[in-house]
Amino acid sequence: MFNRSEIMKDAHRSAKHMMQTAGWAQYGYRYVFQYALGCAWRRAKVAALTEQQRQIAAVKSEIANLEYLPLRQNAAARRSALQNKLSTLAA
């Protein structure tokens, strides 16, 4: 399971660092901490994944991002290749 104490410490560290960098102090500590806590949880969840699960997540993310290609680019071939890769990873 996840070590919540370490996640909170990581979030506070990140929020403190973000407050000291340019541009973040204007939002206030609550907002910055909220953002940092979300990032800390995402980092913890990614760290808990196996290498195969990370690869599957990366391929799924790439497939989802194909929707945002310019209209001149044909995404069908790339989508097909990624789906084939996904099916081989899942097997």
Side-chain angles (χ1 to χ4, degrees):
M1 215 74 222
F2 297 107
N3 187 346
R4 294 180 190 172
S5 175
E6 285 301 316
I7 292 171
M8 292 296 282
K9 288 177 186 175
D10 182 35
H12 278 291
R13 242 181 278 120
S14 295
K16 184 178 177 182
H17 176 71
M18 290 165 68
M19 289 295 285
Q20 293 171 352
T21 59
W24 282 97
Q26 68 183 350
Y27 297 110
Y29 188 77
R30 275 187 170 182
Y31 177 78
V32 173
F33 178 71
Q34 175 186 358
Y35 179 77
L37 186 59
C39 291
W41 269 106
R42 269 184 244 109
R43 283 191 298 271
K45 288 177 181 179
V46 167
L49 294 177
T50 64
E51 184 59 34
Q52 183 181 12
Q53 290 171 330
R54 285 185 192 143
Q55 289 177 352
I56 290 172
V59 171
K60 285 182 178 180
S61 175
E62 236 181 298
I63 290 172
N65 288 336
L66 287 176
E67 296 178 19
Y68 303 106
L69 282 178
L71 293 176
R72 285 185 259 162
Q73 293 184 5
N74 186 4
R78 181 74 179 138
R79 179 173 283 120
S80 174
L82 287 171
Q83 287 174 339
N84 288 339
K85 185 176 181 179
L86 185 63
S87 64
T88 59
L89 285 172

